């Protein structure tokens, strides 16, 4: 479908049909004046007609924005972006202003009839960086607000309302003073459980084992085996009771979260819920095994499985993510930067294969016995660790080692700054979101005090929580607009 072009001729009033969108009856001058956001631009009609890729060559589009009193075309748009569009009409090259963000540029381009493919390569990197940043922050906000809230109405039963309030109490520690107290108590249990897990491996917190289930009176056991069994130790009973108390708290919390969760399947598949389950399962497996067969402690198969089960208790550390935003941001940065991490691993793999091969042929075969044996040396050298267990001793080996270290520094310099920038970006956004939630809460409180409005009814009680209220707002909505919508 072809667009009507702006002509340099006069408009005959008799040729304008009834109901036509064209309202320009004045003679069309050779110079066209645009008023964009209070800034005026002038150009030739001939220039507009020569570029048909924008809406500026569409007569109907221009006439819809014509101001008869001022005899100019008025657009309530950004003048900086229009200057780039007008320069594109003149030169055929679209260069973007550095002061505008990606989403605004995209919206302006769509209004003027342009697309991203018209952007010049020199400006594409900046535009793409803006767009990627906004998309990453939107995904971060979505992941940060993963907890689905209950949808309540007037017909909701008291049981549903209790579950909704309990869910807010368990997931939003800033919703009320009791929720804050519960958050500190939960954090205390996590710290105590981590202490018990670490202290159980220290000799100070170990006592001689009192188990006699290993058949110590058996005649088949040698004196050495009996002596080794008598020297075995186990964790202090106090640590055992601490684990029981912490396990009871974690189990009750997990079950209560599951019962009150709006969507059970989403709760079970949530990463933190999976980690919570993996952290409490080893204790139950150990209790079941001990209760079923106490003599199985001495069996070889169970002895080999127990270290793995006890290692799973380390997942309790990840419960700190609920209470420390910086720790969650660190893990989220690794998750969101998987492309940068993959690139780093590829660089590391290529360097490992290359330099381990070079050092194998350059050095003595007694130290570097094979190329796979040199993988370890190349990795610790490229990462600038250098344990010193393997090192070159010849002139050619020194050269290969120096080259390996220099390439390792370049490898770190290429990839690590991207991770640091992502962490800084996400951390600052989370701090902004937390601060905005606090301001929203204070704003709503002040509005209630000044207007004298009554508290919201029970069917809207979940909106009083700042974490829940934030989910119903766009990412960058003004605080004032949010308070107005809340007061309604």
């Amino acid at each position: 479908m072809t667009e009507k072009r702006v002509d340099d001729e006069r408009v005959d009033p008799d040729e304008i049909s009834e109901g036509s969108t064209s309202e320009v009856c004045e003679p069309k001058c050779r110079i066209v004046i645009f008023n964009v956001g209070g800034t005026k631009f002038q150009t030739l009609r001939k220039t507009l007609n020569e570029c048909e890729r924008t809406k500026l060559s569409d007569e109907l589009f221009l006439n819809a924005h014509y101001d008869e009193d001022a005899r100019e075309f008025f657009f309530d748009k950004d003048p900086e972006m229009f200057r780039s569009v007008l320069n594109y009409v003149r030169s055929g090259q679209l260069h973007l202003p550095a002061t505008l963000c990606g989403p605004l540029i995209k919206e302006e381009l769509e209004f003027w009839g342009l697309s991203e493919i018209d952007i010049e390569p020199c400006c594409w990197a900046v535009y793409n960086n803006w767009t990627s940043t906004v998309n990453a922050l939107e995904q971060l906000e979505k992941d940060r607000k993963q907890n689905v809230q209950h949808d309540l109405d007037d017909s909701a039963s008291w049981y549903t309302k209790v579950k909704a309030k309990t869910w807010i109490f368990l997931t939003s520690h800033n919703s009320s003073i009791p929720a804050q107290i519960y958050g500190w108590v939960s954090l205390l249990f996590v710290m105590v459980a981590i202490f018990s897990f670490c202290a159980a491996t220290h000799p100070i917190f170990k006592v001689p084992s009192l188990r006699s289930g290993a058949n110590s009176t058996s005649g088949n056991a040698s004196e050495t085996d009996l002596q080794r069994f008598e020297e075995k130790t186990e964790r202090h009973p106090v640590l055992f009771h601490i684990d029981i108390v912490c396990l009871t708290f974690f189990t009750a919390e997990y079950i209560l979260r599951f019962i009150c969760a709006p969507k059970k399947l989403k709760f079970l598949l949530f990463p933190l819920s999976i980690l919570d389950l993996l952290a409490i399962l080893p204790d139950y497996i150990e209790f079941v095994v001990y209760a079923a067969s106490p003599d199985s402690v001495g069996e070889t198969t169970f002895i080999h499985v127990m270290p793995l089960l006890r290692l799973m208790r380390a997942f309790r550390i990840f419960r700190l993510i609920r209470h420390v935003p910086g720790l969650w941001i660190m893990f989220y940065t690794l998750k969101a930067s998987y492309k940068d991490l993959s690139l780093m691993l590829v660089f590391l793999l290529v360097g490992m294969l290359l330099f381990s091969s070079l050092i194998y042929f350059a050095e003595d075969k007694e130290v570097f016995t094979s190329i796979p044996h040199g993988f370890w040396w190349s990795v610790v050298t490229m990462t600038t660790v250098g344990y010193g267990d393997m090192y070159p001793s010849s002139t050619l080996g020194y050269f290969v080692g120096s080259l390996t270290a220099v390439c390792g520094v370049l490898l770190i310099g290429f990839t690590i700054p991207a991770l640091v920038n992502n962490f800084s970006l996400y951390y600052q956004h989370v701090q902004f979101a937390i601060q905005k939630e606090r301001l929203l809460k204070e704003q709503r409180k002040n509005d209630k005090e000044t207007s004298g409005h009554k508290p919201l009814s029970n069917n809207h009680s979940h909106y009083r929580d700042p974490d829940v209220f934030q989910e119903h707002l766009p990412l960058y909505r003004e605080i004032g607009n949010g308070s107005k919508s809340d007061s309604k």
Side-chain angles (χ1 to χ4, degrees), residues 8 27 39 62 66 228 242 288 401 415 481:
D8 294 333
T39 303
L62 292 179
Y66 185 73
R228 290 178 179 177
I242 291 177
V288 170
T415 55
N481 295 337

Side-chain angles (χ1 to χ4, degrees), residues 446-457:
N446 294 334
D447 290 344
K448 291 179 181 179
E449 292 178 354
T450 56
S451 61
H453 289 173
K454 296 182 179 180
L456 297 176
S457 57

Side-chain angles (χ1 to χ4, degrees), residues 33-90:
I33 301 177
F34 295 98
N35 186 348
V36 182
T39 303
K40 293 188 177 183
F41 300 86
Q42 294 182 355
T43 187
L44 299 175
R45 289 189 178 275
K46 181 180 179 181
T47 304
L48 300 179
N49 294 333
E50 290 177 353
C51 182
E52 299 182 357
R53 297 196 59 181
T54 66
K55 292 183 179 180
L56 295 179
S57 60
D58 184 5
E59 182 182 4
L60 297 180
F61 174 78
L62 292 179
N63 291 340
H65 298 85
Y66 185 73
D67 186 0
E68 294 183 354
D69 297 333
R71 295 188 178 182
E72 62 186 13
F73 299 97
F74 177 77
F75 297 91
D76 193 12
K77 306 297 291 185
D78 187 85
E80 291 295 328
M81 192 60 208
F82 180 77
R83 179 177 285 106
S84 299
V85 175
L86 191 57
N87 289 334
Y88 172 77
V89 174
R90 294 166 176 167

